[in-house]
Amino acid sequence: MAKSRNLNLEILRIISMFMVVVLHFLLHGKVLKTLSLELSITNFFIFLLETLSIAAVNIFVLISSYFLIDKSFKISRIIKIYAKMYIISAIIGMIFLLTNQIPFNLKNILAIFFPFLTQKYWFVNAYIMLLTLCPILNKLFETLSKKEYQVLCILLLIYNSVIPLLIKSPVTLNTGSSVIWFINLYLIAGYLKKYPIVLSKSKILLAYGVNSLLLTAIVTFFYKYKGISGAMHFYRYNSIFVLTSSVLLFLLVINIKKKYNSKKANIITFLSTSTFAVYLISDNSFIRNVLWTSWVNTLKYRETWYYGLYLILICSIIYLLCILIDKIINKILVDLVLTKEKLDNLDKKIGW
């Protein structure tokens, strides 16, 4: 049976990717951009959904980092990620080209076959860069004392999470969409693994609830007077509020000790191994342009009491469809090309 703690983190991985789909529903579906400039219950509810979901990216990086601490570098990790991105991008792109959904031109050809170079998936680019740095970061962990580690984390958080929220500075991060921020998250995950923090579930949930309500209230207020750009400033991944939510949820899960029978473990593993593909498929630039504007009516029922249920239903359908597509792709292409034997041989030749 798989380790319970690992399965807990896999459940959190599944949830965090669902949060990503919710974020895209609100952002790409223009739900946020079409809100009225009023202090209303509808606005507060939608911003609350954003608040509860915005921690997803940080959580995903924290989970991956937690597993990578103390692990040796494997080129197969990067190859598998890039191959999955390339295959999904090529399949979707060719379908859109052959059905005349997009014009046949150089820009689209580059986007389809060179997604890394054309920056079509910013998360993949930043994550692959992080993977190449993991061995060096792990060696850094070994040399730092606990106090030095604490000072490093605190200083980086002040520079890259607190200051950017207060002022725009050319010497600190203005966004969390970068490998620099991922390194910050890797350091946090490393500290939590090396020096576990044990807190009661009630305290964590209370802190998470207070932080979430405070962030939602601040965003709703700033939206009234500064518009959507003023509100979204607090939703950056490196915002101290977003980081706090991410770490609290992560702490909650790693402090839970729960055993799963083999059936539940298999279901969790089945879903978690395809979570990354949910992002690659649903946020593909060609699909994204039609998914949230033509295929899904994100503004439907927005003023009704059951809008939240509608949102969850739509996001669940998209989520499960993406997982199904990924399983088919794995069977037809990935398992044939990227066999375990080939990847193991590469790791033996290229390893740290």
Side-chain angles (χ1 to χ4, degrees), residues 242-298:
V242 177
L243 176 65
T244 299
S245 290
S246 309
V247 173
L248 286 172
L249 286 175
F250 186 75
L251 276 174
L252 177 66
V253 170
I254 62 177
N255 276 293
I256 292 176
K257 294 182 179 180
K258 181 178 175 59
K259 293 183 179 180
Y260 301 89
N261 58 41
S262 58
K263 184 177 180 180
K264 290 181 179 179
N266 290 335
I267 293 173
I268 294 168
T269 303
F270 178 83
L271 294 173
S272 67
T273 50
S274 288
T275 51
F276 197 61
V278 173
Y279 161 69
L280 294 174
I281 297 170
S282 66
D283 204 42
N284 176 274
S285 58
F286 300 123
I287 284 185
R288 185 176 65 218
N289 291 336
V290 294
L291 174 61
W292 303 112
T293 55
S294 300
W295 299 348
V296 176
N297 187 350
T298 57

Side-chain angles (χ1 to χ4, degrees), residues 157-192:
L157 292 180
I158 292 173
Y159 298 152
N160 295 322
S161 193
V162 178
I163 292 178
L165 198 64
L166 303 175
I167 59 172
K168 187 174 182 179
S169 170
V171 296
T172 60
L173 286 180
N174 288 315
T175 175
S177 304
S178 71
V179 66
I180 303 301
W181 179 242
F182 282 15
I183 291 173
N184 282 244
L185 295 171
Y186 194 88
L187 289 169
I188 293 172
Y191 183 87
L192 294 177

Side-chain angles (χ1 to χ4, degrees), residues 7-63:
L7 286 178
N8 288 337
L9 286 175
E10 293 305 330
I11 291 173
L12 184 59
R13 194 197 300 272
I14 294 167
I15 294 173
S16 67
M17 188 51 68
F18 183 79
M19 292 176 177
V20 169
V21 178
V22 172
L23 290 174
H24 292 162
F25 182 105
L26 297 174
L27 177 62
H28 301 314
K30 296 181 172 54
V31 177
L32 295 172
K33 290 184 178 180
T34 56
L35 289 175
S36 60
L37 290 174
E38 298 176 357
L39 295 176
S40 65
I41 294 177
T42 299
N43 286 9
F44 186 84
F45 170 73
I46 291 193
F47 282 130
L48 181 60
L49 284 176
E50 183 79 7
T51 295
L52 296 176
S53 303
I54 197 63
V57 173
N58 288 348
I59 290 173
F60 207 90
V61 178
L62 285 171
I63 294 172

